[in-house]
Structures are given as C-alpha cells and as structure tokens.
Amino acid sequence: MKYVSFDGEPVIPQHEFFMNEALKEAHLALEANEIPIGAIIVANGRIIGRGHNLTQRLNDVTAHAEMQAFTAATNFLGAKYLQNCTLYVTLEPCVMCAGAAFWTQISGIVFGAHDLMRGFSRLNMPILHPKTILQGGILEKQCSTLIRDFFATKRKS
Amino acid sequence: MKYVSFDGEPVIPQHEFFMNEALKEAHLALEANEIPIGAIIVANGRIIGRGHNLTQRLNDVTAHAEMQAFTAATNFLGAKYLQNCTLYVTLEPCVMCAGAAFWTQISGIVFGAHDLMRGFSRLNMPILHPKTILQGGILEKQCSTLIRDFFATKRKS
C-alpha cells in the first residue's frame, strides 16, 4: 500500500514514522556496541521519551530500551502513568518490559521485529494491561536485520 | 520447628535471618510512605545489595524493591549476572521483577508473602531462569501484615 498526501507527495504512515525514530535510538545503541534495540514513547503525536539498550554500559541486564524510555517519559510528564501514550520499540518486548508496561498502563505498544525466543507474547498470557493495544511487525525487516547483523559481526570477531 | 545452636541458644534459620533484613528495607519504605516492600541480595552469606519500593519518590511505577536490589548488587559485584546469589523479598515478585530476575540468572529467590493478585507465579509459566530456585512463605505473616496495615491506614486517611 502506498500513502500519498493531498498534493501527491508520499506520506510515511504514523507507525512507520515513529518506528524510524525508534530505529534511530537502536543505531545509537549500535554505535555504543550495544545490542541495537531502540524505543520511544509518543503522546499526542509528540515524542516524550527515548531510550536504547544500555546493558553493557550500565553493567545492568535490566537496562533495556523500553525501561529507559518509560523512565524518560514519566520524568517528562511528571506523572507515573503513561495513559494516552504509545511505546514504539524495534524488538518485541521481553517479559520484564511487558510487565513494566503493565504498571505504566500505557495505551499502546507497537513493536518492529518479533522475538520468538524472548518475546513476551510467546507465553500467550495476559501480561499487558487490559487497556493496552498491541501491534507488531512495523518495519520488521529493518528492525530484525539490524539485530541479526550485529550478532553476525560479533560471531566473526 | 525450633532451631538451637550447639550451646542451646535459639538460632534464626538463614532464610528467616535474611528475610528480616528484607523487612528492615520494607520498613524504610514505610517510613517514606511507600508501599512497604523490601529486598536484599545475598552472596556467600553476605548482603551485597539492598532496595525498597520507591515508586512514589521516584515517580516511577517500575521502581520496585527488587529492581533497586538487582542494580545495587550488580554495581557491588561489577558483574552483570547474579549467579550464586539469592534474592530475599518480602512480597512475591510481579511479572516485571520475575522477568528481570530471569536476565540476572540469579540462583535463588526467597519471598515472604504470596501475592495472589500480582505475583508472577499465578501465570504458572516458566518466567524464571531454569537455574533459579524459588521458595515462598518465609515470615509470611510479618511480611503480609506490614502491607495490609499500610493499605488499611491509607483507606482510613
């Protein structure tokens, strides 16, 4: 499907636009030699939180992109909950991050690549908040290629 | 069951001793008007990390006692993983904290009060790392009373 604006120019659909922003965060992780996963939080069309994987730099296996983004967004809002916000993340959240999303009561989660090994949805359990709408597979190829290439390079070195 | 030392003095079994330390953290949370949940991490009989619930103070719904304790322990060790460590926490971990525990590869989790509403074990899913040994119900009454009294006081005020 191709999107065009009223004057005929191609339009990037909202989900793809914001996933590209999450991909920019993933590239920041890559530059820091971290597993390239990025996340942003959007409220009313505005990015209010950003994060990328920092597990190596912080020496903390819980320092996932989503956790950084949740904290950044709540700091920005001065509120504990992320109702009316959407998380965009390049990889399907793990159980920890899905559990964290539950506590934030976030309205939407949009992820890029599916994670058949560690993604929370493999459990097929109601981990997310009942109000959270989930959508996966946005820019899946770009998101998954970035991670796959990272590990392929690591194995060679 | 009563435990006595060789000279006849009562001995506090290890799990109860360390759960009492986690309870001290829970009391620190209570003093700060936080939901009174506390956690410690033990390695080789030594406490290497402490934490208590800070969701109000940090304005962060993910700032659970366990998350603080994991970060403190990895900082102490300078290592990302918590193999050969045990988490003592006054309340059964939620899905987020159990998911975080998975990433730490912690050897043991000992909790006080069961959490039938939000505890991870209600999902009956293999969320923990396969090497993690789980035990619940240590000083359950003290741990659960502390939380129940906190909410009873909140409802009255």
Side-chain angles (χ1 to χ4, degrees), chain A residues 55 59-64 94 96, chain B residues 41 66-75 77 79-87 96-109 127-132:
Chain A
T55 50
N59 197 40
D60 184 344
V61 288
T62 71
H64 288 193
C94 71
M96 172 185 71
Chain B
I41 310 275
E66 299 94 316
M67 303 299 278
Q68 318 292 324
F70 289 147
T71 301
T74 49
N75 276 345
L77 290 176
K80 282 200 299 179
Y81 300 108
L82 297 175
Q83 295 144 331
N84 303 317
C85 296
T86 302
L87 165 72
M96 172 185 72
C97 292
F102 170 84
W103 291 115
T104 69
Q105 301 184 20
I106 199 161
S107 301
I109 296 178
I127 291 176
L128 298 182
H129 195 277
K131 289 180 187 167
T132 305

Side-chain angles (χ1 to χ4, degrees), chain A residues 55-56 58-62 64 67 70-71 74-75 77-81 94-97 99-100 102-104 118 122-127, chain B residues 55-56 58-62 64 67 70-71 74-75 77-81 94-97 99-100 102-104 118 122-127:
Chain A
T55 50
Q56 298 294 330
L58 297 184
N59 197 40
D60 184 344
V61 288
T62 71
H64 288 193
M67 304 299 277
F70 289 146
T71 301
T74 49
N75 277 346
L77 291 175
K80 281 199 299 179
Y81 300 108
C94 71
V95 172
M96 172 185 71
C97 293
F102 170 86
W103 291 114
T104 70
R118 297 282 173 239
R122 78 189 191 284
L123 296 182
N124 201 22
M125 278 284 168
I127 291 175
Chain B
T55 52
Q56 299 294 329
L58 297 184
N59 196 40
D60 184 345
V61 288
T62 70
H64 288 193
M67 303 299 278
F70 289 147
T71 301
T74 49
N75 276 345
L77 290 176
K80 282 200 299 179
Y81 300 108
C94 70
V95 172
M96 172 185 72
C97 292
F102 170 84
W103 291 115
T104 69
R118 297 283 173 239
R122 79 190 190 284
L123 296 183
N124 201 22
M125 279 283 167
I127 291 176

Side-chain angles (χ1 to χ4, degrees), chain A residues 16 19 30 38 66 84 93 102 108 125 145 149:
Chain A
E16 296 188 7
M19 191 57 76
L30 185 67
E66 300 94 316
N84 304 316
F102 170 86
M125 278 284 168
T145 301
D149 287 355

Side-chain angles (χ1 to χ4, degrees), chain B residues 88-144:
Chain B
Y88 288 83
V89 56
T90 58
L91 183 67
E92 181 186 344
C94 70
V95 172
M96 172 185 72
C97 292
F102 170 84
W103 291 115
T104 69
Q105 301 184 20
I106 199 161
S107 301
I109 296 178
V110 180
F111 68 85
H114 288 78
D115 185 350
L116 301 180
M117 284 288 286
R118 297 283 173 239
F120 81 98
S121 67
R122 79 190 190 284
L123 296 183
N124 201 22
M125 279 283 167
I127 291 176
L128 298 182
H129 195 277
K131 289 180 187 167
T132 305
I133 295 167
L134 179 70
Q135 186 170 352
I138 305 297
L139 301 186
E140 172 135 31
K141 196 173 172 187
Q142 292 96 310
C143 293
S144 62

Side-chain angles (χ1 to χ4, degrees), chain A residues 15-80:
Chain A
H15 279 352
E16 296 188 7
F17 175 82
F18 286 125
M19 191 57 76
N20 258 319
E21 292 297 313
L23 273 165
K24 288 179 188 170
E25 284 294 318
H27 278 281
L28 291 179
L30 185 67
E31 285 167 22
N33 205 27
E34 300 272 0
I35 300 171
I37 302 166
I40 60 163
I41 311 275
V42 175
N44 297 319
R46 186 177 171 192
I47 298 171
I48 62 164
R50 290 178 170 274
H52 55 264
N53 184 36
L54 287 171
T55 50
Q56 298 294 330
R57 197 183 304 179
L58 297 184
N59 197 40
D60 184 344
V61 288
T62 71
H64 288 193
E66 300 94 316
M67 304 299 277
Q68 316 293 322
F70 289 146
T71 301
T74 49
N75 277 346
F76 176 86
L77 291 175
K80 281 199 299 179

Side-chain angles (χ1 to χ4, degrees), chain A residues 72-93:
Chain A
T74 49
N75 277 346
F76 176 86
L77 291 175
K80 281 199 299 179
Y81 300 108
L82 297 175
Q83 294 145 333
N84 304 316
C85 296
T86 301
L87 165 72
Y88 289 83
V89 57
T90 57
L91 183 67
E92 181 187 344

